[in-house]
Amino acid sequence: MTEQAEWVRQLRVEFVAAWAIAKKDMIIYYLKPNIIVSGMLFPLFMFLAFAVGRPGEPSIMIPGLIAITILFSASSIEPVSIPIERRMKTFDRLISAPVSLHAVVLGESLSGFLYSIAIALVPFIAGIVIFATPVVNPAPLIIGILLTSFCFATMGTLFASYPTESPGDIMSMLNVVRLPLIFISGIFIPVESIPAIAQFVVYFSPLTYGNDLIHAAYSGTTAFNPLVDITMLIVFILLFQCAANRLYKQFND
Amino acid sequence: MNAIEVSHLTKNFGQLVALNDVNFSVAEGETFGFLGPNGAGKTTTIRILTGITVPTSGDATIFGRHIVTETISARRQMGIVHETSNIYTDLSSWQNLMFTAALYNVSKAEREKRGQELLELFGLWERKNEKTNGFSKGMKRRLTLAMGLINNPRLVFLDEPTSGLDVQSNLIIRDVIRDLNAQGVTVFLTTHNIEEANLTCDRVAIINRGRIAAIDSPEKLKKTIQSVQSVEVALDPVPHRAEEELRGIATVSEVRKLGDKFQLFTEAPPAVIAGVMAYAEQQHTRVISVNTFGPSLEDVFIRLTGIETRHHGVKTVD
Ligand SMILES: Nc1ncnc2c1ncn2[C@@H]1O[C@H](COP(=O)(O)OP(=O)(O)O)[C@@H](O)[C@H]1O
Ligand SMILES: [Mg+2]
């Protein structure tokens, strides 16, 4: 009994600490006008890249745009903030606090998660206001934005475990992964149209499931069952969380 | 139960042996100093005792909790002041303190009360809402200490708390360490400054190249240290048998020739200076310069261990 109470108590402590870490990141790293504005410009440029010379159906374009926006914004906070904290040695504070590394990883990811949700609202609102794109089913949209954001925020934290004090090092590693993801996730080329021999890589991209789920909200048609999308996104989140926890522990030495 | 118990602690970084079979214990309520030159292994010891780094071999417990297997529960007992003043310079002192309090699960009411007390204690209350990027080095250090104490720890780790600080900050910090000790808090501090260890610690461990050379009270260690003070003199002209004759001055234990100067080791520099003056007059030579030097850690270390370190120069204590 008392052992279980202690366990529950510590869990609460871990969440309080994670939230404190997320709040600190928000204040320090992105609740600043220039960061927010440049973050919001990203979907605009992506939109131009999408739309120019290829006037597509907004109901196809908007969900893809939301997915790509989330991929880039969610994973771009920790790869910057964590190397800076290493350089300033404030990172030592986080990894010497009386909480597990899971709480630190979660806290860091939470800040990218919240940032990404805010930025994802830009293509979402543009879809409604400018293109009058109807949302057929809001549930997959909400779940899709939340899970995809959380998944890529955790991926950002995972990459930031690489023990460098320079954000550029992590950003370049991250781009090696992020850019190909766009092309193998059914955003430009529908999953069904990808040649069978290449199709298996599609299943290894969390963006496939995020994009599919968000598509369900707009067109009602999907490549996978939404429950498969949700399950796979959760699996990726847990995978990234555990891998990050392990790597931070290993790289502390 | 001891606050800290360390047995056979070894830490390797690749080929480098940063800590080599270190053993010591710190009683609850004690102020314990780790005295050693740069690279001795002081910070590595603190990083192991705070659970940031895992030892290669050996064990350490904090109030009976094993630091590797019961890390979180061990950490709840401690406050940590890292070697670098690692504050968030985009946040105010108050925000920095409240953030640390949240990491340490200090209740809201408690953290606000304690936060105000600490900022007043460290002379930062008036500027509590100011971003800390404009703070002086000393102010940043004081805030780092305040953050290390926000959770009312039973044990505080201070990694070079006063190194390179202004006099005012130094005095405040030393007072705080003494107050903590009076309140029964266990203090583990590292320093490369003999005087600091002497002023603040109940017991001191001398560490060099990852090995502990001696653990004792400052009084006892100082006895060893006294005999390595020195007087450096330059004479013009230099008498023919100067080196030999200077050795004859009372209390001089050893004479070394350093270029055109002589270094006279002694426990009593004033008496030696008087002796040198008398010698110069008798030899009809001029004393161009006289300097006295305190013992260096290096010398104490050589004396304690017989291990020759990098060079043999005698420096003043900073
Ligand atoms: N992470 C590390 N990787 C490799 N070598 C390290 C690391 N940390 C410390 N060292 C080495 O271990 C030795 C002890 O360092 P440290 O404990 O920081 O000394 P001190 O704090 O006494 O100045 C030094 O030679 C240092 O270069
Ligand atoms: Mg050090």
Side-chain angles (χ1 to χ4, degrees), chain B residues 216-285:
Chain B
D216 222 324
S217 70
E219 284 313 309
K220 296 218 180 100
L221 288 174
K222 258 201 322 196
K223 288 218 173 82
T224 335
I225 294 168
Q226 287 306 333
S227 56
V228 289
Q229 297 184 75
S230 68
V231 175
E232 195 183 78
V233 293
L235 301 171
D236 183 40
V238 180
H240 185 55
R241 295 173 56 222
E243 191 166 343
E244 210 180 310
E245 284 161 358
L246 287 169
R247 191 170 287 126
I249 295 174
T251 80
V252 170
S253 58
E254 192 188 340
V255 175
R256 242 182 253 156
K257 196 164 186 313
L258 296 170
D260 60 344
K261 297 193 176 94
F262 294 96
Q263 192 175 9
L264 287 57
F265 290 85
T266 174
E267 294 176 8
V272 170
I273 291 170
V276 167
M277 293 304 174
Y279 171 71
E281 193 161 330
Q282 176 209 325
Q283 295 288 323
H284 306 289
T285 176

Side-chain angles (χ1 to χ4, degrees), chain A residues 176-240:
Chain A
V176 169
V177 172
R178 288 194 301 197
L179 295 172
L181 278 190
I182 302 178
F183 298 99
I184 60 157
S185 303
I187 291 177
F188 294 114
I189 314 158
V191 174
E192 314 85 67
S193 320
I194 294 176
I197 39 160
Q199 236 181 46
F200 81 100
V201 293
V202 170
Y203 302 118
F204 289 102
S205 163
L207 190 60
T208 301
Y209 307 101
N211 179 53
D212 196 50
L213 201 51
I214 297 167
H215 258 282
Y218 283 89
S219 61
T221 60
T222 58
F224 305 100
N225 183 319
L227 283 179
V228 172
D229 292 330
I230 291 171
T231 310
M232 287 310 289
L233 283 170
I234 292 174
V235 166
F236 273 109
I237 289 170
L238 294 176
L239 216 68
F240 291 156

Side-chain angles (χ1 to χ4, degrees), chain B residues 166-204:
Chain B
D166 56 287
V167 178
Q168 186 206 0
S169 298
N170 241 309
L171 289 177
I172 295 179
I173 292 172
R174 282 187 189 160
D175 273 354
V176 169
I177 295 174
R178 235 170 270 141
D179 287 352
L180 286 170
N181 187 242
Q183 291 159 26
V185 174
T186 310
V187 178
F188 180 101
L189 69 82
T190 71
T191 178
H192 58 256
N193 183 331
I194 294 176
E195 212 31 46
E196 170 159 274
N198 179 27
L199 284 172
T200 45
C201 299
D202 298 322
R203 271 189 322 138
V204 175

